[in-house]
Amino acid sequence: MKKATVVIAFLLVSMVNFAQETNSLIGKWTFKEPYEVEKFEADELKMVNEMFKNLSLEITAKEITISLFDKSEKSEYTIPKDKPNVIQLTSKTGQSVEVEILKKEEKQIVVKIGRAGPFVLVKA
């Protein structure tokens, strides 16, 4: 009986932590700049800023919408228990991509989206 109680308590704590992690990400995040901007040459920085200036992530409790190049795609997501800093996206067409959160603050996150990035996004 004690083992069952411990397992149930662990599951409840895990669910609360998952919900808190997800809730802190809910909202719209917009591109600010590439991460470690000082590593870019001026012309490279200008090109990256121009290319990704319209990048945004809008996160709800059930899905993420990624907008870039005047296109938007909604995807369902999960956060793997063994990778709490990764959001696994699955689009309605079945394509899968990972969003890795490298750094998280209240109003700013640093993410890699698939092979792109890392980017600094700010909460809108």
Side-chain angles (χ1 to χ4, degrees), residues 63-81:
E63 61 188 16
I64 294 178
T65 301
I66 298 179
S67 299
L68 181 63
F69 305 127
D70 296 325
K71 293 183 180 180
S72 295
E73 176 141 6
K74 288 185 180 184
S75 300
E76 294 180 351
Y77 70 89
T78 58
I79 299 175
K81 291 189 187 304

Side-chain angles (χ1 to χ4, degrees), residues 109-120:
I109 56 176
V110 177
V111 298
K112 280 187 75 171
I113 303 171
R115 295 184 308 224
F119 304 112
V120 177

Side-chain angles (χ1 to χ4, degrees), residues 28-122:
K28 185 168 186 174
W29 299 86
T30 58
F31 176 79
K32 178 181 178 188
E33 62 190 6
Y35 185 57
E36 297 180 334
V37 69
E38 66 277 357
K39 292 185 177 181
F40 288 82
E41 297 291 328
D43 56 334
E44 291 174 319
L45 181 59
K46 184 177 178 182
M47 183 184 69
V48 171
N49 281 329
E50 185 62 29
M51 189 189 282
F52 292 101
K53 68 182 177 186
N54 295 321
L55 171 65
S56 69
L57 299 178
E58 189 157 358
I59 303 172
T60 68
K62 295 187 180 198
E63 61 188 16
I64 294 178
T65 301
I66 298 179
S67 299
L68 181 63
F69 305 127
D70 296 325
K71 293 183 180 180
S72 295
E73 176 141 6
K74 288 185 180 184
S75 300
E76 294 180 351
Y77 70 89
T78 58
I79 299 175
K81 291 189 187 304
D82 62 330
K83 296 181 183 178
N85 63 325
V86 170
I87 301 171
Q88 183 68 46
L89 306 179
T90 305
S91 73
K92 298 192 188 310
T93 61
Q95 293 181 330
S96 183
V97 69
E98 284 188 352
V99 176
E100 183 178 3
I101 301 169
L102 303 174
K103 188 175 180 182
K104 186 177 95 175
E105 297 171 4
E106 185 178 343
K107 299 285 184 185
Q108 181 172 294
I109 56 176
V110 177
V111 298
K112 280 187 75 171
I113 303 171
R115 295 184 308 224
F119 304 112
V120 177
L121 304 178
V122 293

Side-chain angles (χ1 to χ4, degrees), residues 8-27:
I8 291 170
F10 176 75
L11 289 173
L12 288 173
V13 168
S14 296
M15 287 172 27
V16 168
N17 286 341
F18 176 79
Q20 287 174 344
E21 185 71 27
T22 303
N23 285 339
S24 67
L25 294 172
I26 289 176

